[in-house]
Amino acid sequence: MIDDVTTLAFDVLVIGSGPAGQKAAIQARKAGRKVAVVEQEKGVGGMCVQRGTIPSKTLRETALSLARLRRGAELLDFKLRPDMEVSSLMTRLDQVVKANVAYLGRQLERNGIHRLYGRGRFVNADTVEILSVDGSRSRVTAQTIMIATGSRPRTPAEIPVDHENVLDSDSILSMLYLPQSLTVLGGGVIACEYASIFAHLGVRVTMIDRTPRPLAFMDADLVGKFVQAFEHNGGRYLGGQTIGSVEWDGISQVITRLGNGETVSSDKMLVALGRVAAVDGLDLAAAGLAATQRGLLAVDEHCRTVVPHIYAIGDVIGPPSLAATAMEQGRRAARHALGLGPGLPSEMIPIGIYTIPEMASVGLSADEAEKRTPGTIIGQARFDEVARGQISGIQDGLLKLVCDPSGKKLLGVHIVGEGATELIHVGQMAMLGREGGADVDLFVENTFNFPTLAEAYRVAALDVWERRGG
Ligand SMILES: Cc1cc2nc3c(=O)[nH]c(=O)nc-3n(C[C@H](O)[C@H](O)[C@H](O)COP(=O)(O)OP(=O)(O)OC[C@H]3O[C@@H](n4cnc5c(N)ncnc54)[C@H](O)[C@@H]3O)c2cc1C
């Protein structure tokens, strides 16, 4: 850590040490540049490590273990204690977070990246002032500046988030006790992940959104399977709804009045209505920048803002708002800023959603493929068709291969079911191996371990084979 940075100048300054900032800094450093990362939190790693991905996935792991336990003892009437503390459902969280923060810190150190501790704000387009916790100020100039400050939950003014009864995705896991019932506002990734995790923990969950089905950007068959599993677990999805009002009754319930007159009561509420860029306090105007109407930073395909040497990467530029995408944006932006080649085409970046069951996709959707070349062929395999799915009792898995009209070239893969976020990489690697998509026959002509879920690739490829006429 450097105490006095007043006189320091860097080639690249990264504001924020989440997945986007980390990768941008490492890429720039590997290209031999003098790099600094400024972070306002004590530990590095960003929202991803501290409050988002890792904590939510730790709770998810508990929910899955409990579900396995229930399945393994079907005759046991197994219920969690009514006063179950949320923190005790995440026993390993502290360890996991500490290990991650330490590892990421060492990674920065090993790469010779300067770490600056404090809150950054623009003085002008080339200079960032850093306000340290002890109140001291210092200034840093850089030829390239990367804004990687992440996002915070979006809360409409009429929804009274008090972080006690009505919570957002930053505060939901600070809830003391597991509620009996939970209303989730929203139908995006965070809403669906938490809704399905809490439903698995035995909480009565009602998810409310204005869209008829959640996760509108994902394959409809995958989402259909997810909603089916969620409702099978006692969850309720109320789609096509508007919110009239939300209020805490002052005793025990959050009351939600819907536009159609229906009322939903629950112990707690999670508001997951999207996220806005965390740019408050950055003094964007001083650098010649402004947030869009949606509260995000606008960039071109290289993540460059309207000020050519200032880039914005990760959640700060909006969807898909995933850690893996943030990392890739960081890497690419740094490569562009330093005049290096661009790397992989962006449609090969996979999407992984840790709902229960998981969902994942890579490449083109059926609709996108159809628009490019009408006559798309889709091959499918249900997990209960492959031996591993039957052995593991995975009923709700589905793998879809999207192929061009010849039924030869693989354009996209879409999977729902436990293991989907790992399994997707088989498809991704196959597609990366051949320009414009793998030959689907690759999956028929090669040997898979038996019994594995990956065999679903072969079953789906055989389906494509049949559909194209052998
Ligand atoms: C509940 C939840 C679950 C999620 N689950 C997943 C998942 O399973 N998989 C996945 O891929 N993604 C997941 N995400 C999304 C993922 O966490 C984000 O996409 C990712 O963290 C974005 O990375 P980032 O680098 O853009 O920002 P962040 O990780 O938010 O990091 C930004 C950093 O900038 C710092 N900062 C902000 N302003 C300043 C300033 N002025 N000066 C200095 N420092 C500053 C912040 O302190 C923070 O450390 C989840 C998110 C949430 C909320």
Side-chain angles (χ1 to χ4, degrees):
M1 205 50 96
I2 291 163
D3 293 322
D4 181 4
V5 292
T6 322
T7 56
L8 284 182
F10 291 91
D11 298 323
V12 179
L13 173 68
V14 181
I15 313 175
S17 71
Q22 282 259 338
K23 277 289 179 294
I26 288 169
Q27 175 67 72
R29 186 66 198 123
K30 285 204 187 302
R33 302 307 203 275
K34 191 176 171 193
V35 184
V37 172
V38 55
E39 171 58 58
Q40 66 188 1
E41 298 284 338
K42 216 165 175 186
V44 291
M47 153 70 63
C48 177
V49 176
Q50 312 282 350
R51 280 196 295 270
T53 313
I54 288 179
S56 63
K57 259 83 272 178
T58 310
L59 184 65
R60 181 183 193 276
E61 211 48 45
T62 308
L64 284 176
S65 307
L66 291 173
R68 266 181 232 121
L69 206 72
R70 262 190 218 113
R71 266 208 312 270
E74 268 160 17
L75 295 177
L76 214 70
D77 186 17
F78 175 79
K79 272 201 180 118
L80 290 180
R81 285 198 341 243
D83 60 347
M84 191 76 208
E85 285 190 33
V86 173
S87 60
S88 53
L89 289 167
M90 298 189 293
T91 44
R92 288 177 51 247
L93 178 62
D94 259 10
Q95 268 169 286
V96 178
V97 169
K98 271 190 196 132
N100 257 273
V101 170
Y103 165 73
L104 294 172
R106 279 198 306 274
Q107 200 180 39
L108 290 179
E109 221 164 88
R110 212 176 41 240
N111 280 282
I113 294 164
H114 295 261
R115 280 174 58 187
L116 309 169
Y117 180 25
R119 170 178 274 250
R121 97 179 160 84
F122 284 100
V123 174
N124 55 49
D126 309 301
T127 313
V128 171
E129 185 175 82
I130 298 169
L131 173 63
S132 306
V133 254
D134 64 6
S136 63
R137 286 169 199 274
S138 46
R139 288 187 175 191
V140 181
T141 59
Q143 285 156 18
T144 300
I145 299 177
M146 303 266 170
I147 305 176
T149 49
S151 61
R152 60 176 167 75
R154 182 179 78 81
T155 315
E158 64 278 14
I159 300 187
V161 174
D162 58 8
H163 302 293
E164 203 181 323
N165 306 295
V166 181
L167 303 115
D168 63 22
S169 57
D170 280 359
S171 55
I172 183 79
L173 296 185
S174 60
M175 203 165 47
L176 219 50
Y177 297 105
L178 194 67
Q180 301 289 307
S181 54
L182 176 74
T183 302
V184 177
L185 296 189
V189 175
I190 294 173
C192 290
E193 285 189 5
Y194 274 129
S196 61
I197 291 170
F198 281 108
H200 249 69
L201 288 168
V203 177
R204 286 192 315 281
V205 181
T206 308
M207 205 183 344
I208 304 172
D209 195 46
R210 61 190 158 78
T211 57
R213 68 180 177 92
L215 300 169
F217 64 95
M218 290 297 282
D219 180 278
D221 289 337
L222 267 56
V223 176
K225 290 257 180 202
F226 159 69
V227 174
Q228 217 177 10
F230 174 60
E231 296 192 335
H232 177 76
N233 265 305
R236 208 162 52 120
Y237 181 73
L238 301 181
Q241 301 294 334
T242 54
I243 304 296
S245 66
V246 172
E247 63 182 341
W248 163 241
D249 71 0
I251 307 164
S252 65
Q253 296 289 292
V254 180
I255 314 289
T256 309
R257 290 194 180 79
L258 304 181
N260 67 2
E262 196 180 330
T263 297
V264 178
S265 305
S266 58
D267 296 350
K268 303 277 179 191
M269 168 178 277
L270 165 64
V271 182
L273 295 170
R275 300 182 65 91
V276 291
V279 290
D280 327 334
L282 269 183
D283 208 348
L284 290 177
L289 294 169
T292 63
Q293 271 192 336
R294 295 188 54 222
L296 301 168
L297 281 181
V299 290
D300 67 11
E301 73 270 30
H302 307 295
C303 293
R304 196 164 43 168
T305 67
V306 288
V307 181
H309 69 282
I310 302 182
Y311 290 71
I313 47 181
D315 278 16
V316 87
I317 62 172
S321 302
L322 291 169
T325 324
M327 289 182 210
E328 184 56 11
Q329 288 164 352
R331 193 180 71 84
R332 278 161 178 253
R335 290 184 71 83
H336 186 265
L338 304 176
L340 307 168
L344 303 173
S346 61
E347 65 190 16
M348 284 309 143
I349 297 178
I351 290 178
I353 301 179
Y354 292 86
T355 39
I356 301 177
E358 290 176 10
M359 283 182 252
S361 75
V362 68
L364 298 185
S365 68
D367 287 349
E368 286 165 342
E370 188 65 26
K371 259 185 224 146
R372 284 196 196 179
T373 43
T376 304
I377 296 181
I378 315 256
Q380 301 200 16
R382 294 196 324 265
F383 282 11
D384 59 8
E385 287 177 290
V386 293
R388 182 70 206 212
Q390 292 152 4
I391 293 165
S392 305
I394 303 176
Q395 308 292 332
D396 42 21
L398 175 72
L399 182 147
K400 287 174 77 170
L401 299 181
V402 176
C403 301
D404 75 346
S406 74
K408 278 275 189 183
K409 199 190 275 183
L410 177 65
L411 302 174
V413 183
H414 306 270
I415 313 175
V416 61
E418 278 319 298
T421 56
E422 297 284 353
L423 217 45
I424 197 70
H425 299 115
V426 174
Q428 181 195 15
M429 290 304 138
M431 287 167 78
L432 284 173
R434 314 265 172 103
E435 202 168 317
D439 185 334
V440 174
D441 294 355
L442 185 77
F443 297 124
V444 182
E445 287 157 4
N446 281 287
T447 310
F448 285 82
N449 276 332
F450 178 84
T452 57
L453 289 178
E455 268 198 304
Y457 277 98
R458 182 205 296 278
V459 176
L462 284 168
D463 191 23
V464 171
W465 220 56
E466 261 174 41
R467 286 173 199 273
R468 75 174 187 229

